[in-house]
Amino acid sequence: MWLVGLPRICKGSLPRSRILQNMNLVRIKLFGISYMVIETGRPLERFKACADYSTLAEVNDNIEKGTGKMTLAKDLAFVVEESSKADERRAKSRMELKRFLELRIKKRVKEQYFNGKFKDLMKKVIANRETLRDAYNCIQINANVDITLDNDNISFECMEKELSGGCFDVGGNTFSIATKGARNEILVLPKLKLKVVQEAIRIVLEVVYRPYFSKISHGCRSGRGHHSALKYISKDISNPDWWFTLIVNRKLDACILDKLFSIMGEKIQDPCLFDMIQGMFDAQVLNMDFGGYLKGHGLPQEGVLSPILMNIYLDVFDHELHRLSMKYEALNPDVHFGKEQLHSKLRSWFRRQLKGNDIKNSSKEGSRIHCCRFMDELFFAVSGSKDVAIDFKSDVVNYLHNCLHLNVDSEAEILPSAGPRAICFLGALIRRTVKESPAIRAAHKLKEKVKLFASQKQDAWDVGTVRIGKKWLAHGLRKVKESEIKHLADSSSLLNQISCFRKAGMETDHWYKFLLKVWMKDIKTKAAESEEFVLSKYVAEPAVPQELRESFYEFQKRAEEYVKSETAMTLALLPNSSSSSETITEIIAPVNAIKKRLLRYGLSTSQGYSRVITQLILQDDIQIIDWFSGIVCRWLRWFSDCQNFAELEIIIRNQVRKSCIRTLAAKYRVHESAIEKRFDSELSKIPSTQEEEQEIEHEKSHSLAFDNDEALMYGISYSGLCLLSLTRMVSQSRPCSCFVMGCPAAAPSVYTIHVMERQKFPGWKTGFSTCIHPSLNKRRIGLCKQHLRDLYVGQISLQSIDFSSWK
């Protein structure tokens, strides 16, 4: 924001009104002096309305007439008022609208707080037609549908009467999908009316419990998510000695539900709300499952209420963890963390109590406990001895099993943080590495140069010997006659009998193959890595002069010895070389898992070469490009902060982009170079990593906090890419509407969902859908072009699709 003196701006022949119309200026007065405020980096349309505001015009008239001096408080009040009016006139983004709707419901919830509890939430808030309409609008926002369109024939008045009277039919508003085969897995999903009720309950429960959630919880919470959880582990956990993860699993049953109701009863007094949740449980439509699949990835089987109910249930564990942390941390009064020393009367009292009651635990002195939870994924880090980590893990497992009735894998291994093995959490790898000082990096730079030079000479040597071996083989086969090797083969073999039917010039081909097998058996090459290795080591090198061969290997040996000795000597000369390095926590993208998914989805071969995806050939050109662009955008959004992101950049250039080009080339049956020229502008949607990183940084600096809130974007931000194939085009005789909830558009095409994988919990973030329910495999859906693109690029998830729309 720039402040420019008004007299300086107004000099010239143009009138004042003309200047205000042509510039992004807002007039304010500070200390009796008029200023024009220039705001940069915003759209022009946002500030054009500021110049015409009547309050400012009135202030201007008063100043020109000299009717009095304005105070500083009034001047600033006008600035705030002007800013609020401008924000109201600016079009709100999707997440701003969603937050606005949730705040409207929040006001109604706060009115039901009496005597320390929230009462009658079902009849007074959830059953309110305005709440139901706001919840329906939130569903439309998640589906990227304009909320001004009233497309579904939903009578909120009738729903209000049914919910208030307790006659809402939960079972009648569900539908089930079963898998084919012996397993017969059934998925029960809500229809639109029931999903509106679930969304209203979700918002109400979040308003009630959001202030009470612990800071270690990062799942489906405002300002928290995958990014904040990994940032906490990498930045805020200092010097852990041991870490481990726990896998909890159990499906929702009557025992879990009773425990959940008892927890909710501490803050909510509403039997009607509990009866509604009980009815959803009886209809098997809650879909709350501990373990099983990754949460927050937009999978259809994750229910609307599942995230908030799971947070409420595990919030008891979060608070219990604080007690356990105090138990292990409070035993040493002289523990220093960083530069500060903790002096707390509560901790001193707790130390006295523990030391007086349990003297044998004095070995736990100096311990520090860290925990991070994202839904049902639990990460723990311990600073202290391994005995402390084992005891702490045992306490956590016992509490989860005995108090929360969850099944826990007690065999989970406790790993040293400084060890070579990384730990998996939230679909990524976490490891501790040493960050070297500039002096040590300079010493290592010499080692890398010598190693690179030696490896280049080794590659040149291998290429030359392989070329010699191939020439020898070709020359030898040309000189061998059939009569000289015919007696080596078995005359009764099938290969010998069919040789007479071969074409001219191919009669002796099988004899040459047989000769090579005899030769390779004679030189014992079963353990050979490849054909090139055989030609290089067994043919070419023995023929090379001995002096040349010995000198080459002597050079390689000397280079290796030089690197080791020179690096050690250089490091020994550096002052405090060991203390100048620091250990940091790194987040690593699962590149190996990503490569396996590229092979499974058909983007690459087992050797790593790009290939054609046949399921996409029948789709439009822009849809094919959007599908590949969706992979790249997800990787850049999820893994741009990872330390090994350079490996993903290579995959983007060498596999994803080339696979897109080859798919388009197979569609049009032309050469790949012609495709690159023809779709040059369209292929720019598969961005180069540098351009996309700059765009992401620009969006972070200019977007509002709501647009980056993973709680508002829960299920969308980390929704994986699914593979759809074109089933048929829609005709007048067989019409079809878009299956996205609230979308009024007609679907020009029908697509088939292909369930390509079903990862075990916990799984990897790879950019693709991790674990779509098998009942949705080969399921047909109709999508308009806009929502097909939104699904591909990650603007919506499969949770926004109404699978019951198929007739």
Side-chain angles (χ1 to χ4, degrees):
M1 181 178 290
W2 296 83
L3 293 178
V4 183
L6 184 62
R8 185 175 180 181
I9 290 291
C10 296
K11 288 183 178 180
S13 58
L14 289 176
R16 182 177 304 173
S17 59
R18 182 72 176 274
I19 296 175
L20 291 174
Q21 291 177 358
N22 295 333
M23 300 183 67
N24 300 330
L25 304 177
V26 178
R27 184 199 312 272
I28 65 173
K29 180 184 177 185
L30 296 177
F31 303 106
I33 303 176
S34 297
Y35 290 91
M36 301 302 292
V37 180
I38 304 177
E39 295 201 33
T40 59
R42 303 290 185 90
L44 178 61
E45 293 77 13
R46 177 176 177 180
F47 301 101
K48 279 188 175 179
C50 297
D52 299 327
Y53 186 49
S54 59
T55 305
L56 291 177
E58 182 180 353
V59 173
N60 181 45
D61 294 338
N62 292 337
I63 293 174
E64 292 180 350
K65 294 178 181 179
T67 56
K69 294 184 178 181
M70 305 291 291
T71 64
L72 176 60
K74 291 184 178 180
D75 291 335
L76 295 178
F78 284 130
V79 175
V80 174
E81 183 181 0
E82 186 67 29
S83 176
S84 63
K85 292 294 183 181
D87 288 340
E88 290 178 1
R89 292 166 183 167
R90 179 180 59 84
K92 290 183 172 63
S93 64
R94 288 172 62 191
M95 294 304 111
E96 283 182 296
L97 286 172
K98 187 174 181 180
R99 175 60 74 192
F100 172 72
L101 295 172
E102 291 184 356
L103 289 177
R104 290 172 54 176
I105 299 177
K106 180 179 180 179
K107 294 179 180 178
R108 305 184 192 114
V109 175
K110 293 295 185 181
E111 295 174 355
Q112 300 305 121
Y113 186 75
F114 304 103
N115 300 325
K117 286 190 177 183
F118 292 88
K119 301 179 181 180
D120 295 330
L121 293 176
M122 190 67 197
K123 294 183 178 180
K124 299 294 182 61
V125 181
I126 298 173
N128 189 320
R129 67 186 68 179
E130 296 300 327
T131 301
L132 296 173
R133 188 180 300 276
D134 292 339
Y136 174 68
N137 289 336
C138 288
I139 295 175
Q140 286 185 303
I141 291 172
N142 289 337
N144 202 13
V145 176
D146 187 2
I147 63 175
T148 60
L149 302 176
D150 189 10
N151 306 307
D152 292 284
N153 296 324
I154 299 180
S155 176
F156 296 107
E157 292 77 7
C158 294
M159 290 183 62
E160 181 181 22
K161 293 179 181 179
E162 293 176 358
L163 291 171
S164 300
C167 57
F168 183 82
D169 186 7
V170 175
N173 285 279
T174 64
F175 70 98
S176 60
I177 309 173
T179 58
K180 298 179 181 179
R183 301 186 66 176
N184 193 25
E185 298 183 47
I186 300 176
L187 175 63
V188 181
L189 296 176
K191 293 183 179 179
L192 184 56
K193 285 186 177 181
L194 182 55
K195 194 160 188 177
V196 171
V197 177
Q198 288 183 338
E199 181 70 13
I201 297 176
R202 179 195 67 82
I203 298 174
V204 168
L205 292 179
E206 283 192 354
V207 172
V208 173
Y209 284 95
R210 186 181 297 158
Y212 302 100
F213 284 145
S214 171
K215 64 179 182 179
I216 69 174
S217 172
H218 292 263
C220 193
R221 291 189 56 197
S222 179
R224 294 172 177 263
H226 285 74
H227 181 74
S228 63
L230 295 176
K231 183 179 179 181
Y232 167 75
I233 294 174
S234 61
K235 303 296 183 182
D236 296 341
I237 298 180
S238 59
N239 301 323
D241 297 312
W242 309 91
W243 53 26
F244 61 94
T245 58
L246 288 181
I247 301 175
V248 297
N249 58 83
R250 183 163 181 174
K251 292 185 178 295
L252 181 65
D253 54 16
C255 178
I256 299 291
L257 191 64
D258 291 341
K259 179 68 175 179
L260 177 63
F261 285 159
S262 66
I263 295 173
M264 295 175 63
E266 297 177 0
K267 293 181 175 62
I268 298 176
Q269 183 179 340
D270 191 351
C272 295
L273 175 60
F274 295 157
D275 291 341
M276 175 60 68
I277 297 177
Q278 180 70 47
M280 295 180 188
F281 168 75
D282 296 337
Q284 301 180 2
V285 76
L286 272 181
N287 295 333
M288 180 178 166
D289 187 6
F290 292 92
Y293 54 87
L294 292 176
K295 306 304 186 295
H297 285 237
L299 299 174
Q301 62 265 33
E302 185 176 7
V304 177
L305 287 174
S306 175
I308 183 62
L309 293 181
M310 189 172 294
N311 273 338
I312 294 173
Y313 192 81
L314 292 178
D315 183 65
V316 181
F317 166 74
D318 296 341
H319 289 85
E320 173 66 17
L321 189 69
H322 288 291
R323 189 192 67 81
L324 291 175
S325 299
M326 182 68 70
K327 173 183 175 181
Y328 287 93
E329 292 179 19
L331 291 170
N332 187 3
D334 298 323
V335 178
H336 291 264
F337 302 107
K339 298 182 179 179
E340 298 181 358
Q341 184 174 3
L342 299 180
H343 295 287
S344 171
K345 293 182 179 179
L346 176 61
R347 291 201 173 198
S348 299
W349 175 85
F350 210 94
R351 292 188 192 104
R352 290 194 300 270
Q353 296 298 317
L354 287 177
K355 286 185 176 181
N357 298 332
D358 197 359
I359 304 299
K360 66 181 181 180
N361 284 336
S362 60
S363 61
K364 299 184 179 67
E365 291 186 355
S367 302
R368 186 70 190 262
I369 306 298
H370 304 273
C371 177
C372 181
R373 181 178 69 82
F374 185 93
M375 306 306 291
D376 51 359
E377 293 192 59
L378 306 174
F379 172 88
F380 303 94
V382 179
S383 298
S385 65
K386 189 173 183 179
D387 293 337
V388 174
I390 293 174
D391 294 343
F392 172 71
K393 176 190 169 185
S394 177
D395 290 344
V396 171
V397 171
N398 291 335
Y399 183 83
L400 290 173
H401 181 72
N402 299 329
C403 298
L404 296 182
H405 315 295
L406 297 175
N407 300 322
V408 186
D409 182 12
S410 59
E411 301 299 326
E413 188 176 0
I414 299 176
L415 299 176
S417 60
R421 291 177 57 184
I423 191 169
C424 173
F425 183 66
L426 288 182
L429 290 170
I430 304 171
R431 70 183 182 190
R432 297 275 290 176
T433 57
V434 177
K435 184 179 180 181
E436 298 171 340
S437 64
I440 297 179
R441 286 199 299 268
H444 287 172
K445 191 173 183 181
L446 173 64
K447 176 187 68 175
E448 299 299 331
K449 286 185 176 180
V450 176
K451 287 178 64 176
L452 177 62
F453 180 76
S455 64
Q456 290 175 346
K457 295 302 178 183
Q458 182 67 51
D459 294 340
W461 174 270
D462 293 339
V463 171
T465 54
V466 169
R467 186 184 298 113
I468 294 173
K470 289 182 178 180
K471 289 185 177 180
W472 169 85
L473 181 62
H475 178 76
L477 292 179
R478 281 198 301 266
K479 295 298 183 180
V480 175
K481 296 181 180 179
E482 180 181 352
S483 59
E484 297 176 353
I485 62 175
K486 190 173 182 179
H487 66 280
L488 298 175
D490 184 8
S491 58
S492 62
S493 65
L494 181 62
L495 185 63
N496 183 67
Q497 296 175 9
I498 64 176
S499 62
C500 59
F501 298 103
R502 292 179 178 269
K503 297 181 181 180
M506 297 291 293
E507 293 86 354
T508 59
D509 180 65
H510 66 287
W511 302 118
Y512 293 143
K513 294 181 179 178
F514 187 81
L515 178 62
L516 290 176
K517 290 181 180 179
V518 173
W519 174 72
M520 294 182 69
K521 183 178 180 180
D522 182 61
I523 62 176
K524 301 178 181 180
T525 59
K526 284 187 176 181
E529 299 177 359
S530 61
E531 295 84 354
E532 288 80 5
F533 181 84
V534 174
L535 295 175
S536 175
K537 299 300 180 182
Y538 292 95
V539 175
E541 286 194 8
V544 171
Q546 184 177 358
E547 296 80 4
L548 178 61
R549 186 170 64 252
E550 291 178 352
S551 62
F552 173 75
Y553 284 108
E554 182 67 19
F555 162 75
Q556 293 290 340
K557 181 180 178 181
R558 295 292 184 183
E560 184 178 358
E561 293 177 354
Y562 176 80
V563 168
K564 293 181 179 179
S565 61
E566 189 70 15
T567 304
M569 292 170 58
T570 306
L571 292 177
L573 294 175
L574 291 175
N576 300 324
S577 59
S578 59
S579 61
S580 58
S581 301
E582 62 174 338
T583 305
I584 61 174
T585 303
E586 292 183 342
I587 308 299
I588 307 298
V591 175
N592 292 332
I594 289 174
K595 290 180 179 179
K596 292 180 181 179
R597 293 334 180 261
L598 293 178
L599 175 63
R600 177 170 295 174
Y601 278 79
L603 277 79
S604 64
T605 62
S606 56
Q607 291 78 23
Y609 299 106
S610 58
R611 56 176 295 186
V612 178
I613 300 183
T614 56
Q615 291 90 340
L616 298 177
I617 288 180
L618 296 179
Q619 299 186 30
D620 295 342
D621 303 335
I622 192 64
Q623 294 169 357
I624 295 175
I625 295 174
D626 285 339
W627 192 87
F628 286 95
S629 177
I631 304 175
V632 177
C633 291
R634 285 174 172 86
W635 288 350
L636 294 172
R637 189 166 62 243
W638 299 355
F639 303 122
S640 58
D641 295 333
C642 294
Q643 276 67 20
N644 63 335
F645 184 68
E647 298 182 42
L648 285 180
E649 293 179 345
I650 297 175
I651 295 176
I652 292 172
R653 290 194 301 266
N654 297 341
Q655 294 186 10
V656 177
R657 187 180 180 88
K658 287 185 178 179
S659 179
C660 179
I661 294 173
R662 290 187 176 180
T663 303
L664 292 171
K667 176 179 179 178
Y668 288 97
R669 299 183 180 181
V670 296
H671 195 269
E672 296 173 13
S673 58
I675 291 295
E676 292 188 72
K677 294 179 181 178
R678 180 175 178 180
F679 295 96
D680 181 52
S681 60
E682 288 83 357
L683 287 173
S684 62
K685 292 187 175 182
I686 305 179
S688 65
T689 55
Q690 184 177 4
E691 294 175 355
E692 185 67 15
E693 286 175 354
Q694 294 176 355
E695 184 176 347
I696 290 175
E697 291 298 327
H698 183 270
E699 290 178 356
K700 287 182 179 180
S701 60
H702 289 82
S703 61
L704 296 175
F706 293 132
D707 297 323
N708 296 324
D709 194 335
E710 291 188 26
L712 295 175
M713 297 288 288
Y714 183 83
I716 300 175
S717 299
Y718 287 87
S719 62
L721 181 66
C722 59
L723 183 60
L724 304 179
S725 62
L726 181 64
T727 302
R728 66 175 177 88
M729 303 299 293
V730 174
S731 60
Q732 294 183 354
S733 59
R734 301 178 66 187
C736 181
S737 299
C738 182
F739 280 26
V740 173
M741 295 181 181
C743 180
S749 305
V750 176
Y751 302 89
T752 300
I753 299 177
H754 297 274
V755 178
M756 304 297 294
E757 60 177 312
R758 193 175 184 183
Q759 289 192 33
K760 294 182 179 180
F761 181 81
W764 301 104
K765 287 190 301 187
T766 60
F768 300 96
S769 292
T770 56
C771 187
I772 301 176
H773 197 273
S775 63
L776 298 178
N777 189 31
K778 307 298 182 182
R779 188 77 179 179
R780 296 182 180 182
I781 57 175
L783 293 174
C784 62
K785 291 185 177 181
Q786 177 61 37
H787 282 115
L788 178 63
R789 181 186 182 278
D790 291 341
L791 186 63
Y792 280 169
V793 300
Q795 295 296 324
I796 64 173
S797 67
L798 290 175
Q799 291 179 343
S800 298
I801 296 177
D802 185 5
F803 292 95
S804 65
S805 299
W806 183 258
K807 306 300 182 184

